[in-house]
Amino acid sequence: MKKLLFLFGCLLCLIVIGCSNQSDGKQNNAGKEGSDKTVTYESEQGPVEIPADPQRIVALTNGPNVFALDGNLVGVDEWTKANPLFEEGMADVEVVSENDPESILALEPDLIIAGSHMENLDELEKIAPTVIYTWGKLDYLEQQLEIGKLLNKEEKAEEWIDDFSKRAKADGEKIKEKHGEDVSVSVFETDSKNFSVFGDNWARGTEILYQAMELGMPEKVQEDALAEGYYSLSLETLPEYAGDFIVLSKMGANNEFTKSETWKSIPAVENGQVIEFDTKEATYSDPVTLEHLLKIFEEGFLK
């Protein structure tokens, strides 16, 4: 009888263990299914099946937009990596290029973001689902919203857009109250030898100044830079394009041009109404960059 009870007990244990393992197996499979869930993203090139929650993103373009939404970046382009604003946050992110698909493959991405102008797009699509954007097709706010949709973080993107737009517009109103409704601003960039002036959608804070704040643009800038986005100048012609304020995007530390009589004679320079920043920190129009520039503009225009 004791032997029979012992055998029955062993059989019962085996049944319990088997059920437990089956249950664990179902849980593990469920977890795997959850991580493998995909959604269809309507890209400008058509529908693309992408991970619902991408964990290894290679951003050959729009890396800063992804970073601003806490996307899981594993690879970015060299320009994004070199930007001082992202140096700390992207310390462990690799530099990759569309011209070296093997370096991208090695990162085992589950989502790739690329530009329509790039090469080897067919090769990238073989590595992972690839979403392609055309630079300038969307404005700076629409682009952030689109990245939000891509990462299943649309609500977070919308919240930032609404908040930032209100704050920038309010700052614009304060600037006009202080300096006049018709106050104008020019955005110049220089490496001390070459000069450019920008329109209203070429980064360097132009979207904030002209679109969000609705500040004035000098007539000559409208004529020559608005359509193309930028216009190349010489030092001698800078005064013709200068507004009441000058925003100066500087490449490098050579400031010899500031010693010239041409520069010194510009009214904005004489009045101490020049706002400067490093070009490396201003070549994108993502939330991190825009917040950084907004603080600079608040200080420069209002304090």
Side-chain angles (χ1 to χ4, degrees), residues 228-246:
E228 294 297 324
Y230 73 97
Y231 185 72
S232 297
L233 306 171
S234 65
L235 175 60
E236 290 71 28
T237 59
L238 282 182
E240 301 174 30
Y241 295 84
D244 300 316
F245 278 82
I246 290 175

Side-chain angles (χ1 to χ4, degrees), residues 11 23 38 69 74 94 117 121 126 172 197 207 229 242 281:
L11 179 62
S23 176
T38 63
L69 287 170
V74 294
E94 298 291 329
H117 64 285
L121 293 178
K126 295 176 185 177
V197 64
E207 291 87 354
E281 299 177 350

Side-chain angles (χ1 to χ4, degrees), residues 145-295:
L145 182 60
E146 204 60 31
I147 295 296
K149 293 177 182 178
L150 181 67
L151 302 184
N152 195 25
K153 297 184 178 186
E154 185 176 0
E155 184 176 346
K156 183 176 181 179
E158 286 179 335
E159 288 176 354
W160 176 82
I161 289 169
D162 291 342
D163 179 59
F164 179 81
S165 298
K166 290 176 183 176
R167 287 185 285 117
K169 183 176 179 61
D171 280 345
E173 292 172 353
K174 292 176 184 177
I175 291 169
K176 292 175 184 178
E177 288 175 6
K178 182 173 182 178
H179 301 288
E181 283 292 323
D182 298 326
V183 63
S184 63
V185 57
S186 301
V187 182
F188 293 134
E189 184 166 283
T190 180
D191 59 4
S192 79
K193 293 181 180 179
N194 303 294
F195 298 85
S196 297
V197 64
F198 296 99
D200 65 354
N201 64 347
W202 209 262
R204 285 79 172 173
T206 55
E207 291 87 354
I208 302 176
L209 298 167
Y210 297 126
Q211 296 185 43
M213 291 182 172
E214 299 181 344
L215 300 182
M217 179 184 292
E219 186 174 340
K220 283 287 287 182
V221 180
Q222 293 184 45
E223 292 174 359
D224 295 334
L226 191 57
E228 294 297 324
Y230 73 97
Y231 185 72
S232 297
L233 306 171
S234 65
L235 175 60
E236 290 71 28
T237 59
L238 282 182
E240 301 174 30
Y241 295 84
D244 300 316
F245 278 82
I246 290 175
V247 168
L248 185 62
S249 173
K250 296 167 61 177
M251 302 171 65
N254 192 329
N255 298 321
E256 286 299 313
F257 73 95
T258 61
K259 300 176 183 179
S260 70
E261 290 303 317
T262 300
W263 176 257
K264 293 179 180 178
S265 66
I266 298 175
V269 177
E270 292 179 331
N271 297 329
Q273 295 183 164
V274 178
I275 302 169
E276 300 181 4
F277 51 70
D278 185 345
T279 298
K280 288 183 179 180
E281 299 177 350
T283 53
Y284 294 106
S285 299
D286 65 282
V288 175
T289 301
L290 293 171
E291 293 287 1
H292 173 70
L293 293 176
L294 185 61
K295 291 179 182 177

